[in-house]
């Protein structure tokens, strides 16, 4: 199984970005731990992060027919981007949406996610463990 791990804007700053909310692990830590978790279970995982919405859309387009599933933390684009929802809607495999924080416990503008209209599973509030939980769910 080929898994694609996508992280959206500002997640490159994990480790130093509001660690009280997002934790102390860096994105590199999270990507390595998620990849190791997938590989131990016989899956392959490619990771990509961008702060540019168009690059994210193009990465999702390129995953069509290649990746079996996408694990995505869309970050702020969750709450703003119909374009991201539309791109995920033309991807055939499963989609797991991950948020480090519990977006429903935070400001009202974070309670709605466009991506959730496409996601097959949504994991929020588990911190970095949510990415590994998404791998387990996709492989189960
Ligand atoms: C986030 C939650 C979003 O509201 C926020 O914009 C992020 C990160 C999370 O992982 O908890 O950048 O997706």
């Amino acid at each position: 199984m080929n898994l694609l791990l996508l992280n959206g804007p500002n997640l490159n700053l994990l480790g130093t970005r509001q660690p009280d909310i997002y934790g102390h692990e860096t994105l590199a830590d999270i990507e390595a731990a998620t990849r190791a978790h997938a590989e131990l279970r016989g899956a392959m995982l490619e990771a990509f992060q961008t702060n540019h919405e168009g690059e994210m859309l193009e990465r999702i387009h390129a995953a069509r027919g290649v990746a079996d599933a996408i694990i995505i933390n869309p970050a702020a684009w969750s709450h703003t981007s119909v374009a991201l929802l539309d791109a995920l809607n033309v991807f055939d495999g499963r989609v797991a949406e991950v948020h480090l924080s519990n977006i429903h416990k935070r400001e009202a503008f974070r309670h709605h996610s466009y991506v959730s209209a496409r996601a097959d599973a949504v994991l929020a509030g588990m911190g970095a463990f949510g990415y590994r939980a998404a791998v387990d769910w996709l492989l189960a």
Side-chain angles (χ1 to χ4, degrees):
M1 196 157 180
N2 284 325
L3 304 177
L4 178 61
L5 171 61
L6 299 175
N7 280 285
N10 303 307
L11 294 173
N12 56 307
L13 301 178
L14 287 176
T16 56
R17 176 192 179 198
Q18 297 178 280
D20 47 319
I21 297 174
Y22 299 118
H24 292 276
E25 284 178 73
T26 66
L27 183 60
D29 293 336
I30 290 173
E31 288 175 344
T34 310
R35 183 179 294 110
H37 194 79
E39 286 177 354
L40 263 176
R41 286 155 183 78
M44 296 198 301
L45 184 139
E46 188 186 326
F48 177 76
Q49 187 276 334
T50 180
N51 295 317
H52 303 276
E53 190 172 349
E55 281 183 7
M56 182 63 89
L57 301 180
E58 282 165 10
R59 189 65 195 81
I60 293 168
H61 298 171
R64 296 172 72 197
V66 180
D68 297 301
I70 289 176
I71 299 168
I72 184 167
N73 184 343
W77 293 329
S78 317
H79 319 301
T80 62
S81 181
V82 176
L84 184 55
L85 169 63
D86 286 350
L88 289 167
N89 273 334
V90 294
F91 174 74
D92 282 335
R94 292 215 168 171
V95 174
E97 176 182 356
V98 174
H99 298 280
L100 293 156
S101 63
N102 179 358
I103 54 175
H104 302 289
K105 208 175 165 184
R106 300 182 62 195
E107 304 97 317
F109 68 85
R110 296 185 200 275
H111 295 178
H112 177 260
S113 166
Y114 287 101
V115 172
S116 295
R118 165 63 180 89
D120 300 294
V122 181
L123 302 94
M126 299 183 201
F129 177 76
Y131 292 94
R132 301 195 293 279
V135 168
D136 285 346
W137 176 74
L138 287 165
L139 299 182

